[in-house]
Structures are given as structure tokens and as C-alpha cells.
Amino acid sequence: RMVEGTWVLGGIRRETNHCFLVPCPGNSREEATLLPIIKQFILPGTTLITGWKSNIDLGQHRYVHIDVNPDIGADINLIKGTWRKCNAFRRGRRETESSLRNDLSEFMWRKQK
């Protein structure tokens, strides 16, 4: 299904609850777009639990990749909840690229406090 708006790649470190939320340049979800963001925020050797289908071979880049599987504790409820809070925080705000970046930065800053 098509979703209107800007694609945002996000992640949360479960131990600290710190997160990152980054708008995808050009609204792209291609490897050339996502991999630099992943490498900027996530150390090699880290386990990534994702709920998205990707053509990126994360193992080739020294990440452990697990698809969502609640039976083994690999769920994405934490990021879904964070995204829900972020959307509530942004409700009624302008939808420009710069305002989105500013809002995401402020949300992450407030969340880390």
C-alpha cells in the first residue's frame, strides 16, 4: 500500500531506550539510501530486528539481521510505540522537510532526557 508523506528510518537501543529517527533522502528505501544511515547510527556486530523487507544483505555489512518474530522476543513494539509518540508530538505541525527534521531532532532530544 502506498503511504503519503516522508519515509523515516528509525531505531532504538533496547538497553537505553535511546533512538534515532532520520528522514530518508529522496524518500528512498533503497540500499544506497538506507545503508549509510544504518552505518551512521548502528555499530557493526549489532543485531537489527526489522519489520520491513529489504534487499540489503545486512550480514555482508557485519550486522545480525532478524525478521520480526514475537516467539523469540524479536518484536518491533518498542519502535512502533516510539513512532506513535512521535506522531502525536508532531500532530498539527507543518509538514516541510526542514520542519520534519527539526521536529524529529527535538523529539529525540526530549526522549533522551
Side-chain angles (χ1 to χ4, degrees), residues 12-96:
I12 297 179
R13 182 174 183 160
R14 288 179 167 196
E15 299 84 4
T16 62
N17 211 26
H18 288 174
C19 71
F20 70 90
L21 299 165
V22 180
C24 295
N27 225 20
S28 170
R29 295 183 291 161
E30 301 298 320
E31 179 173 358
T33 302
L34 299 181
L35 195 55
I37 298 170
I38 291 169
K39 287 182 173 183
Q40 179 182 352
F41 289 96
I42 304 172
L43 292 172
T46 301
T47 299
L48 285 76
I49 301 169
T50 66
W52 44 274
K53 301 298 177 218
S54 172
N55 295 331
I56 304 172
D57 180 0
L58 292 169
Q60 175 185 338
H61 300 280
R62 299 186 10 219
Y63 295 102
V64 178
H65 180 226
I66 300 174
D67 285 322
V68 173
N69 183 343
D71 294 338
I72 62 168
D75 64 55
I76 58 171
N77 292 334
L78 189 57
I79 191 68
K80 281 183 173 182
T82 298
W83 189 241
R84 204 171 12 263
K85 289 175 188 170
C86 184
N87 281 332
F89 172 76
R90 295 199 69 241
R91 192 165 289 125
R93 295 181 184 224
R94 292 175 309 173
E95 187 61 47
T96 65

